[in-house]
Amino acid sequence: QRQLVESGGGLVQAGGSLRLSCLASEGTFSRYAMAWFRQAPGKEREFVATISWFWNGSSTNYADSVKGRFTISRDNAKNTVSLQMHSLIPEDTAVYYCAAAAKAYGGSQRENYDYWGQGTQVTVSS
């Protein structure tokens, strides 16, 4: 059964950086769109970033709240997708989830994604 396992979360001060990783085990996700979502306490799970796959490269898309601060990337050879986060603010505090969609482009809607990880906690202190 295909699984996604996130790592890299933790506690960081405002203005700091973290790098999240998502390892796809039990199968390849090289032909899947990948994404990161997050869920803060008492809030709905929200879209953060997505990266597509195409034969001639990939494209990315970001939520306005993280644009310019976060970067999503993928390494198909290692079956991983990463989220580099800079200039973190307390509002970025949430559980971050990795997701995979069995299509070239997944977009920002949760229902487009077929596989989800268990999440990793990111806490940004002020």
Side-chain angles (χ1 to χ4, degrees):
Q1 183 176 354
R2 300 191 178 196
Q3 291 185 329
L4 299 172
V5 180
E6 302 96 337
S7 62
L11 174 64
V12 63
Q13 288 188 331
S17 300
L18 277 177
R19 185 178 180 87
L20 306 182
S21 293
C22 173
L23 172 65
S25 63
E26 303 297 328
T28 178
F29 284 88
S30 61
R31 297 185 182 184
Y32 282 62
M34 304 296 294
W36 289 92
F37 287 76
R38 67 186 182 185
Q39 187 167 16
K43 294 187 177 181
E44 294 288 319
R45 190 171 299 188
E46 65 175 5
F47 167 75
V48 175
T50 187
I51 185 166
S52 63
W53 81 269
F54 295 102
W55 292 111
N56 60 349
S58 59
S59 64
T60 58
N61 191 30
Y62 298 90
D64 288 342
S65 60
V66 306
K67 202 170 292 184
R69 300 188 297 121
F70 291 9
T71 302
I72 188 171
S73 61
R74 65 190 302 161
D75 185 336
N76 290 335
K78 296 182 179 179
N79 236 13
T80 59
V81 61
S82 299
L83 185 69
Q84 179 67 56
M85 305 184 294
H86 294 298
S87 301
L88 285 161
I89 59 179
E91 291 75 16
D92 294 321
T93 296
V95 177
Y96 283 70
Y97 296 91
C98 177
K103 57 190 70 174
Y105 180 70
S108 62
Q109 301 300 312
R110 287 178 293 173
E111 54 267 27
N112 291 345
Y113 292 86
D114 307 292
Y115 299 93
W116 293 84
Q118 294 299 308
T120 185
Q121 176 71 46
V122 171
T123 303
V124 184
S125 63
S126 57

